[in-house]
């Protein structure tokens, strides 16, 4: 049987996405929950050296932290393969962000309403770079629930920035956040996107 080069299957488009947010917002959890491959993690145990540096308010049970990045992959239909890069949350690791952000389509900023101010550095970073982003409010058990309009106001978000609720522990919820980002970025670039 002869192979006709014109009948080669179309390869999916590779898309790089960052998952950002404050310390303990759920970035590692989201990448791990949605990845169809075993995620790469660069987590280290929190030690006494972090006392006075790492603010554990509202995340007292946290025992590890990302020191470089998390990495995972998810395929959306036959059209897209998303490569997910979870950023480190603490300021001392922010130097990694420029390298991770290079060539990215956009970013998910995970928000923890118990520590909402921790979102501002991520929002500022992506706004300065002109990188499309969405805000995903991670619903932690026992945390106070806020209306999305209240969160938008508190974060001073432009009305065009999508903001949605999510549970970073759940694959389908995290997948919906990623789809929202891909569609938002396509709209900003005026490109058609599959469903």
């Amino acid at each position: 049987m002869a192979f006709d080069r014109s009948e080669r299957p179309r390869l999916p488009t590779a898309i790089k996405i960052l998952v950002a947010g404050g310390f303990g917002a759920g970035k590692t959890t989201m990448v791990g929950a949605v990845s169809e491959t075993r995620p790469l993690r660069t987590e280290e145990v929190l030690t006494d050296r972090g006392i006075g540096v790492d603010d554990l308010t509202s995340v007292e049970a946290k025992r590890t932290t990302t020191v470089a990045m998390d990495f995972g992959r998810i395929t959306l239909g036959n059209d897209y393969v998303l490569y997910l890069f979870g950023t480190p949350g603490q300021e001392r690791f922010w130097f990694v962000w420029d390298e991770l952000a290079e060539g990215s389509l956009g970013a998910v900023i995970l928000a923890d309403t118990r520590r909402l101010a921790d979102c501002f550095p991520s929002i500022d970073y992506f706004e300065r770079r002109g990188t499309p982003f969405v805000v995903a409010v991670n619903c932690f058990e026992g945390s106070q629930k806020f209306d999305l309009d209240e969160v938008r106001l508190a974060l001073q978000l432009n009305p065009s920035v999508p903001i949605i609720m999510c549970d970073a522990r759940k694959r389908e919820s995290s997948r919906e956040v990623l789809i929202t980002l891909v569609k938002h970025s396509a709209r900003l670039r005026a490109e058609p996107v599959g469903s």
Side-chain angles (χ1 to χ4, degrees), residues 73-86:
R73 184 189 79 205
I74 180 174
T75 304
L76 298 178
N78 295 322
D79 297 322
Y80 304 103
V81 174
L82 307 184
Y83 294 100
L84 310 174
F85 293 81

Side-chain angles (χ1 to χ4, degrees), residues 1-182:
M1 175 155 108
F3 179 73
D4 182 356
R5 291 183 186 267
S6 65
E7 293 180 18
R8 282 187 181 168
R10 189 174 83 68
L11 296 175
T13 301
I15 297 174
K16 181 179 185 180
I17 290 179
L18 298 185
V19 179
F23 176 63
K27 301 174 296 291
T28 298
T29 300
M30 176 180 262
V31 171
V34 77
S35 183
E36 61 199 17
T37 61
R38 184 171 163 227
L40 167 71
R41 295 188 170 134
T42 60
E43 288 200 303
E44 293 294 332
V45 175
L46 290 170
T47 66
D48 291 344
R49 294 180 75 194
I51 294 173
V53 178
D54 297 326
D55 179 7
L56 294 173
T57 305
S58 299
V59 292
E60 291 85 1
K62 187 168 178 57
R63 298 289 174 247
T64 60
T65 188
T66 300
V67 297
M69 68 175 186
D70 298 309
F71 176 78
R73 184 189 79 205
I74 180 174
T75 304
L76 298 178
N78 295 322
D79 297 322
Y80 304 103
V81 174
L82 307 184
Y83 294 100
L84 310 174
F85 293 81
T87 64
Q90 296 106 309
E91 185 175 352
R92 68 181 178 273
F93 300 122
W94 287 351
F95 67 91
V96 176
W97 286 35
D98 288 336
E99 291 298 322
L100 292 178
E102 192 65 36
S104 66
L105 177 82
V108 171
I109 299 174
L110 276 175
D112 177 351
T113 58
R114 302 169 300 178
R115 301 163 56 105
L116 204 53
D118 290 356
C119 290
F120 286 115
S122 299
I123 292 168
D124 292 345
Y125 180 83
F126 295 114
E127 284 180 342
R128 272 194 319 275
R129 288 182 65 92
T131 302
F133 66 91
V134 301
V135 173
V137 179
N138 196 1
C139 301
F140 287 91
E141 286 183 38
S143 65
Q144 185 176 350
K145 305 295 184 226
F146 292 92
D147 181 75
L148 289 178
D149 288 334
E150 291 177 289
V151 176
R152 178 182 299 283
L153 183 63
L155 293 176
Q156 303 169 8
L157 291 176
N158 183 305
S160 66
V161 174
I163 181 170
I164 56 177
M165 295 287 194
C166 80
D167 184 336
R169 300 169 298 179
K170 297 186 177 170
R171 179 178 176 81
E172 194 55 38
S173 181
S174 296
R175 184 178 182 277
E176 286 305 313
V177 170
L178 297 170
I179 290 169
T180 300
L181 173 62
V182 170

